[in-house]
Amino acid sequence: MKVRELMTADPRTLGIDATLGDAAEVMSGYGIRHLPIVEDGAVVGIITDRDLKMALGPEAAHLDLSAIDPQQADGRVDWFMTEGLIQIDVDADVADAAEIFLRDKIGALPVVDAGELVGILSVLDVVKAALPLLKGR
């Protein structure tokens, strides 16, 4: 099975000058946990729900913007995002992605085609695909 079959295509993204408040709004509004950060069309980082909660404190447990200090929400995502991302090619095997998830203890991979972001693959995507096999179907 190839990554392209399981990934979420055209994922939501933010630019490098976005704020933590912007990220919290997008992530809570769309129910996502991993948000690629792009600059000039290239993925330069990723911010996760965990990153936001650590940056914004315990009040951000549910990414509720009304409970977050506005000064904290104005912090730029590039201060808190993970840089130097491992990316995976759209035509890679899902087994390769699973090995990366386990080896590097990460929850999502930006999916690229010729260096351009085309999707995102999460551990949950892989688990959903494996569930019928685990149930013996």
Side-chain angles (χ1 to χ4, degrees), residues 1 7 11 23-24 29 34 49 57 62 89 127 129:
M1 181 175 285
M7 72 179 193
H34 306 92
D49 58 344
H62 301 287
D89 189 86
V127 170

Side-chain angles (χ1 to χ4, degrees), residues 84-133:
L85 293 180
I86 300 168
Q87 301 175 17
I88 195 157
D89 189 86
V90 69
D91 290 316
D93 289 327
V94 171
D96 295 334
E99 287 176 348
I100 293 168
F101 289 144
L102 289 171
R103 181 190 70 217
D104 295 301
K105 297 176 178 65
I106 57 175
L109 286 166
V111 180
V112 295
D113 187 8
E116 183 178 325
L117 180 69
V118 294
I120 193 161
L121 181 72
S122 74
V123 169
L124 289 179
D125 295 327
V126 175
V127 170
K128 285 178 195 174
L131 194 55
L133 295 172

Side-chain angles (χ1 to χ4, degrees), residues 11-91:
R12 301 279 174 199
T13 64
L14 284 178
I16 195 146
D17 58 347
T19 66
L20 292 173
D22 296 333
E25 188 173 313
V26 169
M27 293 171 80
S28 64
Y30 290 98
I32 56 178
R33 299 177 339 160
H34 306 92
L35 187 59
I37 307 301
V38 297
E39 183 176 39
D40 299 326
V43 180
V44 295
I46 194 165
I47 193 152
T48 67
D49 58 344
R50 183 176 180 190
D51 296 332
L52 284 178
K53 291 170 186 173
M54 290 179 70
L56 299 175
E59 301 82 21
H62 301 287
L63 299 182
D64 179 2
L65 289 177
S66 66
I68 298 170
D69 178 341
Q71 287 183 320
Q72 290 175 303
D74 286 342
R76 287 177 41 137
V77 292
D78 62 340
W79 297 343
F80 300 97
M81 70 183 187
T82 300
E83 299 177 84
L85 293 180
I86 300 168
Q87 301 175 17
I88 195 157
D89 189 86
V90 69
D91 290 316

